[in-house]
Amino acid sequence: MSIQSKHAKLNAWVKEIAEMTQPEKVVLCNGSQAEYDEMIKICVDGGLAIPLNEKKRPGSVLFSSDPSDVARVENRTYIASKTKEAAGPTNNWIDPVELKNTLKGLYRGCMKGRTMYVIPFSMGPVGSNIAKIGIEITDSEYVVANMHIMTRVGDKVMDVLGSDGEYIECLHSVGKPLAKGETDGGKWPCAPIEQKYISHFPETRQIWSYGSGYGGNALLGKKCLALRIASAVAHDEGWLAEHMLILKITSPAGVVKNVAAAFPSACGKTNLAMLIPTIPGWKVETIGDDIAWMKYGEDGRLYAINPEAGFFGVAPGTSDDSNPSAMRSIEKNTIFTNVGLTEDKDIWWEGIGYDAPGKLIDWKGNEWVQDKGNKEQAPAAHPNARFTAPAKQCPVIAPEWEDPKGVAIDAILFGGRRPSTIPLVHQAKSWNHGVFMGSIVGSEITAAALDLKAGTIRRDPFAMLPFCGYNMGDYFKHWIEVGKKSTEDKLPKIFFVNWFRKTAEGKWLWPGYGDNSRVLKWVFQQCEGTGDFVETPIGKMPTVEAIDRPEGVSAEDMKELLSVDKAGWLKELADVRDNHYPKFGDKLPKELMDFLNSVEKALQA
Ligand code: SAT
Ligand code: MN
């Protein structure tokens, strides 16, 4: 069983995998609308998907996954480089030979009773010299349909691949073979947790994923290729593959700046990328909401592309208030996963901006009636429920979002959920100081990963902790090396933001969402050299008047948001010194230790 493409190496690989996994048949995906429709029809006919109300939500469907398969699984995610040192202290490592043996055991016969799909896809505009081609083999129609939205799939990719083009091998199975005559019976297919393996072989640029059908575990173009494998490629080739949104901001005078921003999963990257400014005359447009690939242009500036073609966004909390552009993006042709279903076959989730209209079916398939008095009520939508929507449906998508040369980046932001200590915004004094800031990012844990305790703070350097495909110490060094290839005047300015400050009583100090434009305005001004700022031990900070105060934020609050909490910072840095940096041993660049020492000293002065 194989395919008859022009690419002999691909044909041979497909044949080898088909022999191992033993599917019913093999299909080479062409990326057409008819193919997408057929995938959806197979899922609907099999009881895995529910078509939504054609009048309210045309072309859209709802999937509900198995309760064991609702998010990325970090403790089942592996970087299988030849040595443990190459994977580094922050990744799970297994010897690649051993892991391949284990996986081959699992893959043997795993597609029995299913169709094996071969998906040629491009991360980045097809044919762009920044783009990379992947081939995902999968036995999941859900994956094929999602890949159609999230990447560029099909014949046009095969054309670029030609007869000997390079591609990244991405092998995926849900890990649930079917016996003769057996069907899924409407149950989301996946393997038990201890059989899930999200495996990466950075040296041979391969991805082998087994046992999960959800999100980043299964849509292998996203975190697996565009971050874990791409970060390793970028390290070797001298560019950056980052967990960053890209936005374009235009001032009332018509001046444009492009901003890339790294936040851990489920910290509001999609909301920031689609922000509607609350300050008159300013405009924000979206280029990407999750991943940025950045390379130097001939002018010594960093240019970024969004390698994806869609949004895989967190549904709960998305509303006309928090993100009207996302709400417009998901009006049609959208795949919803693990949200609530209304009686008239529309979707609903916690924080959608209105009460549940009558009786729902929750994400687990049970009847659900909203009980607002009951704070303990289990939610109708899983907290990591998602929408998959084409980026081109976003009303604020920037015209240059598919420009193959990318956009020149003026500023890079780091951030996380930090209820205390970290001010609303501060700016690095230099590129390397910015690398120091990125290296100590910490955030309160969210629901985007299954196996972590929500609510506690963990260090998530550059928001890449679960996504860096090699030794994080080498990754820090790589950022420093990248900076050496240009000069401070051309490099993006680096900022650290925190929308998530709370008072001791637990009240938000900053309204966030559209009001974050006030911080972006200061970032813009700093790039222009027109912002008002003061030098502090932790970096440059806006004067209290430099940021327009939003309604509901008192002058007192503003002062607290923009002050340096010396005691808090000294505790923060002590934690970095005692618990974070030691993990990297002699891989920790000296430059970062120097910043730790000098910032600490300045705070003590
Ligand atoms: O499941 S994904 O990895 O695609 C989403 C996320 O964790 O950001
Ligand atoms: Mn993400």
Side-chain angles (χ1 to χ4, degrees), residues 72 222-223 227 243 263-266 269 289-291 312 386 463 467:
R72 284 183 293 103
K222 197 174 179 60
K223 309 297 189 183
L227 289 176
H243 191 206
F263 298 82
S265 295
K269 283 208 300 299
D289 81 327
D290 197 35
I291 299 174
F312 186 67
R386 299 274 172 161
F467 306 123

Side-chain angles (χ1 to χ4, degrees), residues 22-91:
Q22 298 166 33
E24 285 281 272
K25 60 176 196 268
V26 179
V27 171
L28 175 63
C29 296
N30 61 21
S32 67
Q33 182 64 41
E35 179 176 275
Y36 179 87
D37 295 343
E38 195 195 329
M39 294 303 111
I40 298 295
K41 183 172 185 306
I42 292 171
C43 295
V44 169
D45 291 349
L48 291 169
I50 297 173
L52 295 173
N53 187 321
E54 263 307 309
K55 287 211 183 73
K56 290 193 148 179
R57 204 66 62 175
S60 304
V61 282
L62 168 63
F63 284 82
S64 302
S65 76
D66 187 90
S68 75
D69 203 25
V70 291
R72 284 183 293 103
V73 274
E74 293 187 6
N75 61 359
R76 306 297 310 170
T77 300
Y78 298 93
I79 300 296
S81 36
K82 281 199 197 99
T83 65
K84 187 166 172 21
E85 199 200 357
T90 58
N91 283 311

Side-chain angles (χ1 to χ4, degrees), residues 80-133:
S81 36
K82 281 199 197 99
T83 65
K84 187 166 172 21
E85 199 200 357
T90 58
N91 283 311
N92 297 314
W93 177 82
I94 302 183
D95 174 78
V97 177
E98 181 191 329
L99 182 55
K100 281 192 172 169
N101 277 336
T102 305
L103 280 163
K104 279 180 189 162
L106 290 167
Y107 280 129
R108 199 154 298 129
C110 74
M111 295 191 187
K112 275 190 183 151
R114 298 188 187 277
T115 301
M116 178 171 121
Y117 299 96
V118 180
I119 315 171
F121 65 96
S122 176
M123 299 310 290
V126 179
S128 152
N129 65 346
I130 311 190
K132 293 258 179 253
I133 291 179

Side-chain angles (χ1 to χ4, degrees), residues 458-518:
R458 72 162 173 176
R459 295 281 157 209
D460 187 348
F462 293 77
M464 283 288 277
L465 183 71
F467 306 123
C468 181
Y470 61 102
N471 191 306
M472 185 69 87
D474 289 330
Y475 169 89
F476 294 162
K477 179 101 191 122
H478 178 58
W479 264 80
I480 291 171
E481 291 303 320
V482 166
K484 286 184 189 158
K485 290 192 200 155
S486 192
T487 46
E488 291 286 346
D489 58 319
K490 290 185 182 147
L491 284 165
K493 308 231 174 316
I494 302 180
F495 299 80
F496 202 113
V497 297
N498 179 22
W499 324 131
F500 299 94
R501 271 294 279 273
K502 285 182 178 170
T503 61
E505 295 74 47
K507 178 185 140 275
W508 295 113
L509 270 171
W510 181 254
Y513 303 109
D515 283 319
N516 293 338
S517 57
R518 296 162 198 269

